[in-house]
Amino acid sequence: QVQLVESGGDLVQPGGSLRLSCTGSGITSDYYAMAWFRQAPGQEREGVSCIRMSDPTTWYGLSVRGRFTITRDRAKKTVYLQMNSLKPEDTAVYYCASGSRLACSGKSIRGGDFGSWGQGTQVTVSS
């Protein structure tokens, strides 16, 4: 059974930075992808970024492109989301997800394509 554990959420001022981490366990394949989604109160879940663990394919949502960077450590089965120039509209619960590498095509991501999810970590951007 795949388990994902996120960490790194915090309260940060606008313009600040945070790094989220997500470590997976129980993953038996080398060909998989990991992604970050977020959901703000009263809003739909939004795809933030994804990365394939077996090749450099990545994708970023338009609202975070140029500010967020996703990286991976294959040996640790861990992905990181470096978030810079944070804005109040980045406030949300951030969820890590894993799935087939095909779920991260480099064009867009859909929550339904990822079968395993973490519990979420709260990011609040406020002065």
Side-chain angles (χ1 to χ4, degrees):
Q1 182 178 357
V2 175
Q3 291 188 327
L4 303 173
V5 178
E6 304 105 329
S7 63
D10 205 345
L11 169 64
V12 63
Q13 292 187 344
S17 298
L18 278 178
R19 189 177 82 154
L20 305 183
S21 300
C22 173
T23 298
S25 60
I27 299 173
T28 58
S29 172
D30 290 332
Y31 301 98
Y32 65 102
M34 295 182 78
W36 290 96
F37 292 80
R38 67 186 182 186
Q39 188 165 23
Q43 297 189 19
E44 293 187 355
R45 183 175 59 192
E46 175 189 11
V48 175
S49 183
C50 72
I51 188 167
R52 290 182 178 180
M53 301 302 276
S54 57
D55 64 66
T57 300
T58 59
W59 173 86
Y60 296 93
L62 283 175
S63 61
V64 306
R65 208 164 288 179
R67 300 187 298 122
F68 291 10
T69 303
I70 191 169
T71 56
R72 69 187 190 289
D73 184 326
R74 283 188 287 181
K76 294 181 179 180
K77 291 183 168 56
T78 298
V79 293
Y80 306 95
L81 186 68
Q82 178 66 42
M83 306 186 294
N84 298 329
S85 302
L86 282 162
K87 305 174 182 180
E89 49 264 44
D90 294 317
T91 296
V93 178
Y94 283 70
Y95 297 93
C96 176
S98 71
S100 161
R101 69 182 186 92
L102 298 178
C104 181
S105 65
K107 295 181 180 180
S108 65
I109 56 174
R110 300 181 306 177
D113 291 334
F114 292 84
S116 299
W117 293 79
Q119 81 287 352
T121 186
Q122 176 71 47
V123 172
T124 303
V125 184
S126 175
S127 55

